[in-house]
Amino acid sequence: MKNFTYYRPTTLEAAVALLDSRWGTSELLAGGTDLLDLQKEYVAQPDKVVSLNFVNDPIFTRIDVPQILPGTKAQVSIGAGVKLAEIAEHAELKKLFPALTDAAATIGGPQIRNMGTLGGNLCQRNRCWYFRDEFVQCLLKGGRKCYATDGENRYHAIFTRGHPCVIVNPSTLAPALIALGASAETVGPTGKRTLELSKFFQAPSKPDQREHVLVPNEIVVRVLIPVEGLRNASYEVRHKHSWDWPLVQAAVAFRLSGGKATDVRIILGHVAPTPHIATEAQKLVEGQTITPELAAKAGEAATAGAAPLSQNGYKVQLVKVAVKRALLLASGAQPDWLL
Amino acid sequence: MPESPHPPHKPGISRREFLSGTGLTAAATALIGPGETLGQADKAKAIATPGFGPKPVACELTVNGTRITVQIEPRVTLLDCLRHYMDVTGPKRVCDRGTCGACTVLLNGKPIYACTMLALEAQGKNIETPESLYQDGQLHRVPAAFAQYDAQQCGFCTPGFVMAMKGCFDRNPKATPAEVERCLAGNICRCGTYQQMRHALRSLCQKGG
């Protein structure tokens, strides 16, 4: 990898001040599982690497689950520097947000989860093999075309309309967090701001765009999740039980009152350049009792608008399965499939 | 050994460093690049954070209880620092992309990929490598079980598997075979000696780690 100057600020403000205001010349280092790979492939060639691993701020480094009293609005705070393993194994989070902890528990292997962080999972670069190849000048690296659109695209997006670059958003936590109504608190050159995670991601198509909407010198401080008593679950379809990226992921959350699901959120992961909100499926489930038949119909509805590429038509079927199973899991049904 | 006999990296120099000379001048210009709009307070904060490199800097690591100091460039990974600069060759370099697990070491007791962490990031932490598993003529029970059950073929992945398994038993001496297997999910054996490893870990589980 290209050499760089390494900084280890102890506050987030100092880290912001160290970052450049354009992409590429400075990079944030948290777990390093994504950045070091990109540097070794010369896809990332920063002059400055700013480590966040010496930031001494409990808001950034800890999980805070407040005492939840009935009738009060509470929110859980998870620092962006918290390791994925800690999220996956947190007893209270497991009870409140199984969609999140199940998603965290499946990322990479144990070593990756001991290294990778929440902020890094949200801000990591995509896994497109053309993007990650040092010698391919794709759209995201200033080239003229997306090589995946007509090339090897079996792991790429199926919701492709309007997207010149057909990556899938690589975050497995994002669909779960969006379903749970979470927001991200960030700090940047103009101070702090909070943005809903549903507005955190974008579909990039040029070198000065990332998979998220943050500016180059902006850092995720923490993620806030409202405690609303929602039933929630995440289901992934993957080749292997461990150490694999999901082919398709569905995260769902809804309120269950009188046997009916309301406030339904169905978010798909790994099928579009951003986490994909399955609006049609949400409408179909709203106000209904979740049965295996309804869940299957919701799966069908979730594929509305899909326009798969030459090699990834199979993902359309996987969307149906993932949505159906996530809804059934969240409703408390005993799974009749092999977990 | 302060100097590596095999310099493992391409020589590299940042464009900014090349343009602005070396040393302190380089550090100062790298802090506030052209076209940036930092406030006065931000500038003060940024300057208050010293940079390390790109020239070699001192790096002190605690490896198996021993403190070792070497001069390394910031881009040197923990794995390369251990192997090339400190002659600690237990962790193996196989994929070098945080995928195969052959470089697994325990960092403050938790298994991590040494190839995917900068050596400078591991300062102040307790690093355990496979070398720690043979002390006073005594082989640790995990590698001993690997030997007893013939749980390796070429053996190149073995140090990683052994460290991941040791980390698992350190954390939970009463781990079940299924739990130990989950702890090994980040390691790959291309020879396919998984069945023998299962025998080894079952015997360890029966003995309570």
Side-chain angles (χ1 to χ4, degrees):
Chain A
M1 73 179 87
K2 198 183 88 173
N3 208 1
F4 50 81
T5 309
Y6 165 84
Y7 296 87
R8 50 165 64 158
T10 52
T11 66
L12 289 170
E13 288 72 22
V16 167
L18 284 165
L19 290 170
D20 294 340
S21 53
R22 60 193 153 138
W23 290 115
T25 52
S26 61
E27 292 285 354
L28 280 172
L29 173 68
T33 54
D34 190 35
L35 179 63
L36 262 64
D37 268 13
L38 292 167
Q39 287 181 287
K40 286 172 187 175
E41 303 293 348
Y42 289 85
V43 175
Q45 301 189 31
D47 299 322
K48 280 193 257 184
V49 169
V50 180
S51 169
L52 293 174
N53 294 308
F54 297 83
V55 168
N56 189 11
D57 182 345
I59 290 176
F60 180 74
T61 57
R62 286 198 200 148
I63 299 175
D64 180 32
V65 182
Q67 201 185 358
I68 295 148
L69 302 167
T72 58
K73 279 191 178 175
Q75 51 186 3
V76 166
S77 164
I78 309 179
V82 171
K83 301 286 182 195
L84 300 173
E86 201 185 327
I87 295 173
E89 290 159 14
H90 197 281
E92 286 167 287
L93 288 185
K94 273 189 189 177
K95 268 188 228 154
L96 290 169
F97 311 126
L100 175 67
T101 53
D102 285 355
T106 60
I107 296 169
Q111 289 93 329
I112 294 284
R113 295 193 292 275
N114 283 335
M115 303 171 83
T117 62
L118 169 61
N121 183 272
L122 296 176
C123 298
Q124 65 185 312
R125 299 309 312 266
N126 70 82
R127 308 299 304 182
C128 175
W129 35 44
Y130 295 106
F131 170 71
R132 286 185 176 253
D133 187 317
E134 179 186 352
F135 301 107
V136 175
Q137 283 291 100
C138 73
L139 284 177
L140 297 189
K141 295 192 280 187
R144 287 196 194 153
K145 65 177 275 194
C146 168
Y147 290 87
T149 306
D150 303 317
E152 294 290 336
N153 53 34
R154 57 190 171 279
Y155 301 130
H156 289 74
I158 54 170
F159 293 95
T160 51
R161 291 205 181 111
H163 298 308
C165 160
V166 294
I167 59 159
V168 295
N169 185 284
S171 175
T172 306
L173 299 186
L177 288 169
I178 293 171
L180 293 165
S183 51
E185 189 180 288
T186 68
V187 60
T190 53
K192 284 196 173 180
R193 66 166 168 158
T194 305
L195 65 167
E196 289 169 34
L197 268 182
S198 56
K199 294 173 183 152
F200 184 89
F201 298 98
Q202 65 178 357
S205 59
K206 24 183 202 187
D208 61 352
Q209 289 177 328
R210 293 257 162 128
E211 290 77 358
H212 53 73
V213 298
L214 305 190
V215 296
N217 44 0
E218 190 172 6
I219 303 171
V220 183
V221 180
R222 60 172 165 171
V223 167
L224 296 161
I225 315 173
V227 181
E228 298 178 315
L230 300 179
R231 298 287 194 109
N232 61 91
S234 166
Y235 185 86
E236 294 169 24
V237 185
R238 36 168 79 221
H239 276 309
K240 296 183 284 181
H241 276 268
S242 67
W243 235 127
D244 203 1
W245 295 88
L247 299 167
V248 169
Q249 173 196 14
V252 303
F254 51 82
R255 196 178 308 285
L256 202 60
S257 50
K260 311 269 189 212
T262 56
D263 200 3
V264 179
R265 302 100 185 252
I266 301 176
I267 319 293
L268 304 177
H270 305 271
V271 292
T274 61
H276 180 80
I277 300 173
T279 322
E280 296 294 317
Q282 289 182 168
K283 274 189 217 153
L284 192 119
V285 177
E286 187 70 34
Q288 304 292 314
T289 305
I290 293 178
T291 59
E293 293 72 34
L294 180 84
K297 275 188 197 155
E300 294 274 349
T303 63
L309 303 166
S310 57
Q311 298 177 347
N312 66 5
Y314 71 95
K315 278 195 179 190
V316 176
Q317 173 61 26
L318 298 189
V319 165
K320 296 177 191 173
V321 175
V323 167
K324 181 179 76 179
R325 291 185 175 182
L327 280 169
L328 289 173
L329 274 180
S331 71
Q334 277 301 313
D336 61 352
W337 60 88
L338 198 64
L339 278 177
Chain B
M1 52 189 281
E3 291 295 325
S4 164
H6 311 291
H9 303 290
K10 290 185 198 176
I13 189 163
S14 79
R15 185 174 47 79
R16 276 190 191 158
E17 191 199 18
F18 177 73
L19 290 174
S20 58
T22 52
L24 282 174
T25 334
T29 35
L31 286 171
I32 304 141
E36 292 192 38
T37 52
L38 282 178
Q40 284 299 326
D42 286 340
K43 270 184 202 168
K45 274 182 204 153
I47 289 162
T49 310
F52 297 89
K55 290 190 173 301
V57 293
C59 174
E60 184 192 84
L61 298 182
T62 310
V63 184
N64 303 324
T66 308
R67 289 187 179 188
I68 311 173
T69 305
V70 289
Q71 296 285 324
I72 54 163
E73 292 178 341
R75 63 178 159 179
V76 175
T77 62
L78 175 57
L79 177 65
D80 288 346
C81 183
L82 289 169
R83 289 183 60 84
H84 297 297
Y85 293 81
M86 297 178 169
D87 208 20
V88 178
T89 54
K92 297 288 180 270
R93 194 190 213 228
V94 178
C95 75
D96 198 34
R97 294 292 183 279
T99 301
C100 74
C103 66
T104 301
V105 299
L106 302 185
L107 194 78
N108 286 351
K110 288 182 180 166
I112 58 122
Y113 294 137
C115 73
T116 303
M117 170 177 262
L118 296 178
L120 290 175
E121 293 267 290
Q123 293 184 104
K125 301 199 163 132
N126 190 20
I127 303 158
E128 284 175 73
T129 73
E131 279 81 356
S132 68
L133 302 178
Y134 184 72
Q135 282 175 357
D136 307 324
Q138 192 71 33
L139 188 61
H140 187 276
R141 58 194 178 279
V142 170
F146 269 66
Q148 187 185 342
Y149 290 90
D150 200 16
Q152 62 273 309
Q153 187 170 311
C154 83
F156 219 72
C157 71
T158 310
F161 270 100
V162 166
M163 291 315 287
M165 202 184 284
K166 179 188 184 274
C168 186
F169 282 122
D170 283 356
R171 207 170 154 210
N172 177 13
K174 291 182 177 153
T176 64
E179 284 164 350
V180 182
E181 280 190 29
R182 276 200 287 279
C183 291
L184 303 180
N187 296 67
I188 296 169
C189 168
R190 279 191 75 171
C191 303
T193 57
Y194 298 109
Q195 202 51 40
Q196 292 90 322
M197 278 193 248
R198 283 204 170 101
H199 297 157
L201 70 88
R202 273 196 204 120
S203 83
L204 287 165
C205 290
Q206 279 161 10
K207 289 179 202 157

